[in-house]
Protein backbone atom coordinates (compact mmCIF):
# COMPACT_ATOMS: atom_id res chain seq x y z
CA UNK A 1 0.00 0.00 0.00
CA UNK A 2 1.20 3.45 -0.84
CA UNK A 3 1.08 6.35 1.59
CA UNK A 4 -0.95 8.21 -1.03
CA UNK A 5 -3.77 5.64 -0.83
CA UNK A 6 -3.91 6.03 2.95
CA UNK A 7 -3.94 9.82 2.58
CA UNK A 8 -6.73 9.74 0.02
CA UNK A 9 -8.79 7.55 2.32
CA UNK A 10 -8.25 9.97 5.21
CA UNK A 11 -9.34 12.88 3.01
CA UNK A 12 -12.39 10.97 1.76
CA UNK A 13 -13.52 10.06 5.27
CA UNK A 14 -12.76 13.55 6.58
CA UNK A 15 -14.92 15.14 3.89
CA UNK A 16 -17.65 12.56 4.46
CA UNK A 17 -17.63 13.55 8.16
CA UNK A 18 -17.86 17.23 7.18
CA UNK A 19 -14.50 18.22 8.66
CA UNK A 20 -12.02 20.58 7.10
CA UNK A 21 -8.34 19.67 7.18
CA UNK A 22 -7.89 22.49 9.67
CA UNK A 23 -10.57 21.09 12.00
CA UNK A 24 -9.00 17.64 11.84
CA UNK A 25 -5.59 19.11 12.64
CA UNK A 26 -7.02 20.86 15.71
CA UNK A 27 -8.58 17.63 16.97
CA UNK A 28 -5.28 15.81 16.43
CA UNK A 29 -3.24 18.64 17.98
CA UNK A 30 -1.15 18.71 14.81
CA UNK A 31 -0.10 21.53 12.54
CA UNK A 32 -2.50 21.95 9.60
CA UNK A 33 0.39 21.37 7.20
CA UNK A 34 0.76 17.87 8.68
CA UNK A 35 -2.74 16.94 7.47
CA UNK A 36 -1.97 18.29 4.03
CA UNK A 37 1.26 16.28 3.86
CA UNK A 38 -0.49 13.18 5.20
CA UNK A 39 -3.29 13.37 2.64
CA UNK A 40 -0.78 13.89 -0.17
CA UNK A 41 1.21 10.85 0.94
CA UNK A 42 4.29 12.83 1.93
CA UNK A 43 4.45 11.70 5.57
CA UNK A 44 4.09 8.37 7.28
CA UNK A 45 1.63 8.42 10.20
CA UNK A 46 2.43 6.63 13.42
CA UNK A 47 0.09 3.95 14.72
CA UNK A 48 -1.05 6.36 17.44
CA UNK A 49 -2.01 9.00 14.85
CA UNK A 50 -3.76 6.42 12.67
CA UNK A 51 -5.88 5.29 15.62
CA UNK A 52 -6.64 8.88 16.61
CA UNK A 53 -7.72 9.74 13.06
CA UNK A 54 -9.96 6.66 12.89
CA UNK A 55 -11.49 7.59 16.23
CA UNK A 56 -12.15 11.21 15.18
CA UNK A 57 -13.61 10.11 11.84
CA UNK A 58 -15.60 7.35 13.56
CA UNK A 59 -14.41 4.61 11.20
CA UNK A 60 -12.51 1.38 11.80
CA UNK A 61 -8.77 1.90 11.21
CA UNK A 62 -8.91 -0.68 8.43
CA UNK A 63 -11.13 1.68 6.42
CA UNK A 64 -8.17 4.02 6.06
CA UNK A 65 -6.11 1.29 4.38
CA UNK A 66 -8.60 0.05 1.77
CA UNK A 67 -7.25 -0.02 -1.78
Amino acid sequence: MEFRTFGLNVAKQRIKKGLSAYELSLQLSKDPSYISKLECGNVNATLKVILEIANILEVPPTTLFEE
Side-chain angles (χ1 to χ4, degrees), residues 5-24:
T5 302
F6 174 79
L8 289 172
N9 287 337
V10 169
K12 177 181 165 186
Q13 293 301 321
R14 174 181 60 73
I15 292 166
K16 195 180 216 183
K17 178 92 170 139
L19 289 175
S20 69
Y22 180 74
E23 291 168 325
L24 180 58

Side-chain angles (χ1 to χ4, degrees), residues 12-13 15 17 20 24-25 29 35-36 49-50 54 63:
K12 177 181 165 186
Q13 293 301 321
I15 292 166
K17 178 92 170 139
S20 69
L24 180 58
S25 73
S29 299
I35 302 303
S36 176
V49 170
I50 293 168
T63 302

